Amino acid sequence: MTVSKDLKKNVLILRAQIAHHNEMYHGQDSPEISDAEFDELLRKLKEIEAKYPELIEELSPSQTIGSGFTTFDPVTHRVPMTSLDNAMDTKELQAWGERLIKGLGNSAMRFVCELKIDGLALSIRYENGALVQAATRGDGKVGEDVTANILTIGVVPKKLVSKSGKKIPSVLEVRGEVYMSIAAFEKLRVAKQVENEKRISDGKKPETVPANPRNAGAGSLRQKNPAITATRDLSFWAYQLGEVVGAANFLSHSETFDYLRDLGFPINPEARTVNSLTQVVEYVAKREANRHNLDYEIDGVVVKLDDLAQREQLGFTARAPRWAIAVKFAPEERNTILKNISVSIGRTGRATPFAELEPVVLSGSTVSMATLHNREQVQLKDVRPGDTVVVRKAGDVIPEVVGPVLALRPKNSKPWKFPTTCVCDLNSTFVQLEGESDTRCVEPDCPFQRDQRIIHFASRGAMDIEGLGEKTVFALSDKNFVGDIGDLYSLTNEKLLQLDGFAELSATNLLTAINNSKTRPLNKLLVGLGIKNLGPAAAESLARRFGSLDAIIAAKSEQLSEIDGLGDVIANSITKWFKDKSHQAIIKKFRSAGVEFGNVIVSTAPQNLVGKAVVVTGAVEGFSREGAQEAITSRGGKSPGSVSAKTFALVVGDEPGASKLTKAESLKIPIIDSAGFLVLLETGELPN
Ligand code: IVH
């Protein structure tokens, strides 16, 4: 096959791109593209080279790894530090399995499955039991001397002592991953943000905050001043041996783990030995589903043949061992273009900036919008339309813009300015109330707020009107069929049929759903009104105590505030809501439509958790996730998603989230198990 000029040019461009990104990642700790995008470039190059082997050159990045960039003293690895080949899905993992069978025949295979820690590879050398050198991987042949920094990591043994009294080898190189835990990263990030807020108020430019634990770890490892590294709380997992002189011959990888453990090295407790590729697939699926229950980031699973004789038989390719493979998880972070920053208006008028993005696939779904939280966050992150930004969507969490890639910022770009007026065209100037981080549109007739109020009224936590989603609300509002939540009850078949996509059946279904909502319990109706600060738990207490909407309307603020857990702020907010003329008109519409005002469903649960916030993490025996939270809220308590100093207790089930646990421990919040949870539900008190 002849190779076209264009293809040759493409290969050159690909190689140049890969070399550049390698340098940014390994040399400068400032990657411009995500790992997934880097892998994709390398993959493309390898694909072309596989088809046209005549294009392969010794210096092609497909044949070498890492970058030769050094600012620390160079260290030549006595045993090269190779990289790993990747499998992006089960099919590629199976293909690896078939290659093993080809190389080993039908002999039995055992695999060690390990987590792929998202950190930096490190080789630590011990001579006669003393740590003499620590080096990064570099290009696999030559790394950087980071000994002084590694000496500051508490979990790395400085002197080898065998717990079982084994002889200490004359040379031992231990390879593993240096990483920053999520808790340590959060601490660093908060500290940097505080520093930046001060810089901004001093009129200085904010400094870049590391985007993720990996970048933060890399930056900490390459500090010229080890005293700074010492403050960064780095950790280490050992997973492989390099040069060894003067130790018994090992037969398996699992044996080397026992050996390393005996010498005091931290071995990741999640590693498992399995006997088939099917079990490997199960391990990968389980780990991917639970990846956020750890206090460190992982980006896949590394599968290694356990039998060292089999490894010997298979050997290495130019890049990586044939006996191991990295199974990558779906990426959660990617770079994309920030097309624009817009502001959305919530039902209370809160203005939330959000990023309109060039669509990217993250955690298996396409993301084209991501929240920017509030005015301060945009200012702190300094993201600008036209920027290349890092976008992250971890599991089910809402997508977030982590920050800009400054190296790729277009020239002449200017900081984005928060608009001064609402998009509602009612000339409403945004206001930021004292002590609030939110910016609001305070124009009560703002059509954006009105639509959001209707959407909220129909939502599951309120009147639960099936079929009345965002799209339908916008359509109804466009035609001026609804001006407030009261108008929903005067909608007719004739009106609905005028909406795009509505036919006889869908119109009848929606009308039935609206009609059914008239008998919802009073607490749901109260939630649906969208009274500021009135949440579901307080609404339930109100409904139970007053029994009807008319009694609540007639009540004085002082009477309302007497209810446990309500307080003055909510009480005032309620009386203010019912005083408003437009709200009185809504109540009138409800009344004439026959909406039930006194349908109180009394929960049988004792109200013993009022004023207490109980956080749940992991699967609590005998409860679904919602079930555990419901058990708390039905007793008058709150069940927020994160631990704070105000948390009453943390309930820990199976596979708990490590960050919640760490935070609870550091704040000395009581931690209870499922048995303790039952005691708490029954008595409202902590178990003894
Ligand atoms: S074994 C010859 N095990 O992944 C085997 N690597 O893509 C060399 N990594 O450079 C590596 N967790 O930085 C191995 N449990 C693990 C790992 C792991 C993370 C990293 C390591 C390596 C890269 C390869």
Side-chain angles (χ1 to χ4, degrees):
M1 252 186 288
T2 51
V3 182
S4 74
K5 257 192 176 161
D6 274 359
L7 194 66
K8 271 189 194 158
K9 203 169 130 198
N10 273 350
V11 166
L12 287 179
I13 293 173
L14 270 174
R15 282 183 191 150
Q17 282 176 332
I18 292 168
H20 168 74
H21 292 305
N22 233 342
E23 162 64 14
M24 294 310 287
Y25 184 94
H26 291 283
Q28 321 247 338
D29 297 328
S30 166
E32 294 170 355
I33 58 173
S34 64
D35 287 5
E37 283 159 323
F38 181 80
D39 288 347
E40 191 52 40
L41 289 175
L42 200 59
R43 223 175 152 72
K44 267 193 204 149
L45 177 63
K46 286 208 303 187
E47 228 173 77
I48 303 177
E49 288 183 342
K51 224 165 156 190
Y52 304 98
E54 62 269 40
L55 285 176
I56 299 181
E57 284 170 19
E58 210 185 314
L59 282 179
S60 168
S62 62
Q63 307 298 303
T64 58
I65 5 133
S67 129
F69 189 92
T70 32
T71 50
F72 290 76
D73 286 344
V75 174
T76 303
H77 299 300
R78 284 165 174 94
V79 176
M81 289 183 80
T82 52
S83 176
L84 292 170
D85 280 335
N86 292 331
M88 306 312 276
D89 53 33
T90 311
K91 224 173 102 201
E92 292 188 2
L93 178 64
Q94 306 281 13
W96 176 67
E98 274 154 34
R99 291 201 293 278
L100 294 183
I101 295 172
K102 244 193 202 157
L104 298 172
N106 268 339
S107 36
M109 289 179 232
R110 264 187 338 271
F111 303 96
V112 178
C113 300
E114 298 169 23
L115 300 182
K116 189 171 184 300
I117 316 294
D118 201 3
L120 293 110
L122 187 80
S123 183
I124 315 176
R125 187 176 173 86
Y126 295 84
E127 287 176 6
N128 301 315
L131 192 163
V132 293
Q133 191 168 59
T136 62
R137 190 179 72 184
D139 66 0
K141 292 191 183 97
V142 181
E144 296 175 324
D145 189 332
V146 287
T147 315
N149 289 343
I150 295 309
L151 287 172
T152 71
I153 304 180
V155 294
V156 170
K158 313 298 174 303
K159 203 161 179 48
L160 300 184
V161 180
S162 160
K163 287 177 197 137
S164 66
K166 278 195 191 70
K167 191 175 131 258
I168 299 299
S170 51
V171 174
L172 181 74
E173 270 179 17
V174 177
R175 270 119 197 232
E177 204 82 353
V178 181
Y179 68 95
M180 187 178 273
S181 70
I182 295 170
F185 170 65
E186 288 302 334
K187 212 173 104 189
L188 175 68
R189 191 159 66 164
V190 170
K192 290 246 173 215
Q193 281 204 355
V194 170
E195 227 174 271
N196 274 345
E197 276 166 24
K198 183 160 184 314
R199 289 182 73 88
I200 290 176
S201 72
D202 291 348
K204 292 188 196 144
K205 265 183 91 167
E207 282 177 347
T208 318
V209 179
N212 52 41
R214 206 210 82 90
N215 290 3
S220 307
L221 192 62
R222 301 174 88 265
Q223 284 290 336
K224 280 287 183 188
N225 179 0
I228 297 182
T229 312
T231 65
R232 296 291 171 83
D233 205 2
L234 292 175
S235 303
F236 178 74
W237 296 120
Y239 52 62
Q240 203 66 41
L241 292 179
E243 193 184 17
V244 185
V245 181
N249 267 343
F250 303 107
L251 296 176
S252 68
H253 185 61
S254 2
E255 232 176 69
T256 66
F257 269 4
D258 294 338
Y259 182 70
L260 286 170
R261 224 178 266 124
D262 181 58
L263 290 178
F265 287 93
I267 302 292
N268 187 278
E270 312 296 333
R272 296 284 179 278
T273 309
V274 301
N275 294 311
S276 70
L277 224 48
T278 316
Q279 286 172 300
V280 171
V281 173
E282 280 167 20
Y283 179 92
V284 173
K286 196 160 171 212
R287 296 299 144 174
E288 182 157 17
N290 291 311
R291 68 188 285 189
H292 296 296
N293 291 344
L294 299 165
D295 187 35
Y296 43 90
E297 295 209 323
I298 57 173
D299 58 349
V301 164
V302 180
V303 191
K304 300 171 182 171
L305 266 185
D306 193 23
D307 188 312
L308 300 187
Q310 285 181 334
R311 286 191 182 185
E312 188 99 0
Q313 213 177 323
L314 288 168
F316 291 77
T317 65
R319 236 179 81 85
R322 291 198 179 85
W323 42 262
I325 194 131
V327 187
K328 296 295 255 323
F329 293 158
E332 299 192 317
E333 243 179 55
R334 265 178 193 274
N335 288 358
T336 190
I337 303 288
L338 172 63
K339 294 195 295 192
N340 200 7
I341 300 177
S342 300
V343 173
S344 76
I345 307 295
R347 71 184 159 86
T348 58
R350 183 200 289 156
T352 307
F354 66 94
E356 292 175 40
L357 304 162
E358 201 58 65
V360 272
V361 179
L362 286 175
S363 294
S365 61
T366 303
V367 173
S368 52
M369 277 193 299
T371 179
L372 287 164
H373 303 290
N374 55 40
R375 182 196 290 257
E376 263 105 57
Q377 282 295 313
V378 189
Q379 203 187 359
L380 272 175
K381 287 181 178 163
D382 186 23
V383 279
R384 309 173 182 186
D387 268 349
T388 298
V389 291
V390 181
V391 184
R392 183 178 168 85
K393 178 177 184 285
D396 299 332
V397 179
I398 29 172
E400 191 196 18
V401 174
V402 181
V405 180
L406 290 176
L408 298 180
R409 171 163 283 170
K411 287 199 183 77
N412 311 323
S413 100
K414 299 228 159 45
W416 181 76
K417 283 216 173 78
F418 206 93
T420 48
T421 53
C422 179
V423 256
C424 68
D425 264 358
L426 294 168
N427 280 334
S428 154
T429 306
F430 279 141
V431 295
Q432 187 162 10
L433 300 178
E434 185 82 22
E436 269 195 16
S437 57
D438 296 324
T439 303
R440 290 178 193 278
C441 166
V442 287
E443 170 56 61
D445 293 329
C446 165
F448 296 100
Q449 290 179 51
R450 183 196 58 206
D451 290 353
Q452 292 302 326
R453 285 196 291 264
I454 300 172
I455 293 165
H456 168 77
F457 183 76
S459 68
R460 195 158 295 163
M463 299 296 264
D464 196 10
I465 306 178
E466 216 184 309
L468 189 55
E470 214 176 75
K471 234 174 94 193
T472 308
V473 172
F474 293 152
L476 286 169
S477 154
D478 249 14
K479 291 238 183 292
N480 270 329
F481 289 163
V482 283
D484 61 40
I485 50 180
D487 293 339
L488 288 172
Y489 294 101
S490 49
L491 281 173
T492 58
N493 208 44
E494 197 198 346
K495 282 182 179 158
L496 290 184
L497 286 175
Q498 291 178 43
L499 304 181
D500 271 355
F502 268 82
E504 246 351 293
L505 183 64
S506 39
T508 314
N509 284 347
L510 182 53
L511 287 179
T512 311
I514 292 175
N515 201 41
N516 287 345
S517 75
K518 290 179 188 168
T519 56
R520 295 280 179 261
L522 176 57
N523 54 324
K524 298 282 181 183
L525 174 64
L526 283 167
V527 170
L529 299 180
I531 300 172
K532 199 174 164 192
N533 302 321
L534 181 64
E540 202 178 312
S541 307
L542 262 181
R544 203 174 300 104
R545 177 70 181 274
F546 285 88
S548 82
L549 191 66
D550 288 313
I552 296 170
I553 296 172
K556 295 225 158 50
S557 187
E558 302 81 70
Q559 286 169 286
L560 295 172
S561 67
E562 273 167 20
I563 294 185
D564 272 350
L566 217 66
D568 290 344
V569 175
I570 307 182
N572 287 334
S573 171
I574 296 168
T575 42
K576 194 170 155 212
W577 197 93
F578 287 110
K579 267 199 197 113
D580 186 300
K581 289 263 171 333
S582 66
H583 296 157
Q584 287 170 0
I586 291 174
I587 301 296
K588 207 166 155 199
K589 289 177 197 171
F590 283 167
R591 204 184 295 279
S592 58
V595 174
E596 289 193 17
F597 284 178
N599 197 359
V600 178
I601 293 193
V602 180
S603 135
T604 47
Q607 295 303 292
N608 53 13
L609 292 178
V610 172
K612 289 176 180 157
V614 181
V615 179
V616 181
T617 176
V620 182
E621 212 184 311
F623 293 89
S624 67
R625 176 175 284 282
E626 292 77 28
Q629 288 176 336
E630 179 101 22
I632 297 162
T633 49
S634 68
R635 284 165 176 76
K638 284 199 178 115
S639 186
S642 59
V643 173
S644 76
K646 289 186 192 147
T647 305
F648 180 69
L650 174 71
V651 184
V652 177
D654 248 10
E655 310 223 20
S659 53
K660 283 185 192 151
L661 257 177
T662 319
K663 196 152 180 206
E665 273 162 8
S666 69
L667 291 171
K668 301 207 163 49
I669 305 291
I671 296 173
I672 57 177
D673 59 8
S674 20
F677 185 45
L678 294 180
V679 176
L680 176 70
L681 293 180
E682 205 175 304
T683 63
E685 298 302 329
L686 293 170
N688 291 320

